[in-house]
């Protein structure tokens, strides 16, 4: 798999197009530049810049709250309440 494909997938996961579309575009351009050259010095410079931009994009990414302990407890509580309502209704 090419670097550009992997960066594009990570940008999607980070929702970078919504939070910072310009930086996302630069990151993708750098990844394509890495894929398009065989010159080690050019690849190293592009990789260095790409790493920096991706670090910034990861910091800007929205925090996913789904799946934490509080959500698990809330889901269990909702299931118990639904079961209690069903039982009370004669189900």
């Amino acid at each position: 798999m090419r670097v550009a494909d992997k960066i594009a997938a990570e940008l999607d996961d980070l929702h970078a197009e919504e939070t910072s579309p310009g930086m996302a575009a630069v990151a993708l351009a750098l990844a394509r530049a890495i894929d398009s050259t065989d010159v080690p010095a050019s690849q190293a410079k592009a990789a260095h810049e790409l790493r920096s931009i991706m670090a910034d994009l990861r910091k800007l990414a929205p925090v996913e709250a789904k799946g934490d302990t509080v959500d698990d407890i809330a889901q269990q509580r909702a299931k118990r309440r639904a079961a209690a309502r069903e039982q009370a209704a004669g189900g």
Side-chain angles (χ1 to χ4, degrees), residues 29 45 80 82:
K45 179 64 176 165
R80 284 193 308 268

Side-chain angles (χ1 to χ4, degrees), residues 31-84:
R32 288 181 183 139
I34 292 168
D35 288 335
S36 69
T37 187
D38 291 331
V39 179
S42 295
Q43 287 178 329
K45 179 64 176 165
H48 177 75
E49 295 300 322
L50 178 59
R51 185 198 62 75
S52 175
I53 288 173
M54 292 304 293
D56 290 342
L57 287 170
R58 288 181 194 110
K59 291 176 190 172
L60 295 171
V63 177
E64 296 280 335
K66 185 178 179 183
D68 65 0
T69 304
V70 174
D71 288 339
D72 292 341
I73 293 169
Q75 285 178 341
Q76 291 172 4
R77 182 179 295 143
K79 286 179 186 178
R80 284 193 308 268
R81 287 180 177 169

Side-chain angles (χ1 to χ4, degrees), residues 1-9 35:
M1 186 176 256
R2 298 166 39 104
V3 173
D5 296 333
K6 292 185 180 216
I7 291 298
D35 288 335

